[in-house]
Amino acid sequence: MMIIFLILVIIAFVIGSMKFLFEKELGEFHFFSIGHFFVLFYSYITVLLGFSLIYTVCEMGSIPVLSGGFEHEGHYFYTLFNSMYFSAATLFSVGYGDMYPVGIGKLFATFEAFIGYIMPAIFVMRTVTRT
């Protein structure tokens, strides 16, 4: 029950961080601003860390979500490092194939990949449209 609660809290924080991508800004129109870039950067970092924490919480709670070319040592930082690596590979590309999701991890990885694909489109839309 605690694992589900932690996952829901992490998802709420990730969604909260992504709302900045959709908020309208006040001020004059710019095709590109450094503020837009920092919003995108912040969103990518929070999504990456959020999903890596979800993978870590599941793995530490004996819910297998990742499998592949690594050994489960049970140490928190080792699991977090592997989860961050998998999360980055999933968010920024389609992955390398050395680690892959299993079970409920497939659902999490699918959502993460989808978010990774729509964030650049939202960035472009936000940059070229009038706020």
Side-chain angles (χ1 to χ4, degrees):
M1 187 58 142
M2 183 64 149
I3 293 173
I4 295 171
F5 175 73
L6 286 173
I7 290 172
L8 292 175
V9 168
I10 293 167
I11 289 171
F13 282 125
V14 168
I15 290 171
S17 73
M18 289 189 60
K19 76 179 179 105
F20 289 116
L21 287 174
F22 298 101
E23 286 183 348
K24 296 212 179 253
E25 294 178 334
L26 301 175
E28 61 185 81
F29 174 72
H30 296 285
F31 278 109
F32 180 78
S33 72
I34 197 71
H36 288 153
F37 175 75
F38 282 124
V39 166
L40 181 69
F41 180 75
Y42 170 76
S43 297
Y44 266 121
I45 293 299
T46 54
V47 168
L48 186 142
L49 291 176
F51 276 95
S52 64
L53 285 174
I54 288 172
Y55 300 135
T56 302
V57 165
C58 288
E59 287 289 332
M60 296 303 288
S62 298
I63 300 172
V65 291
L66 299 176
S67 187
F70 67 99
E71 304 210 7
H72 296 279
E73 292 182 8
H75 192 268
Y76 173 76
F77 290 110
Y78 186 77
T79 304
L80 180 63
F81 177 76
N82 282 324
S83 297
M84 287 179 68
Y85 167 76
F86 177 77
S87 181
T90 302
L91 185 63
F92 298 127
S93 67
V94 293
Y96 296 117
D98 55 345
M99 294 175 68
Y100 53 91
V102 294
I104 192 74
K106 291 179 181 182
L107 180 66
F108 294 140
T110 301
F111 281 131
E112 185 178 13
F114 178 71
I115 290 169
Y117 285 124
I118 65 168
M119 284 174 67
I122 294 170
F123 176 72
V124 169
M125 180 183 70
R126 183 181 169 98
T127 303
V128 299
T129 60
R130 196 174 288 271
T131 57

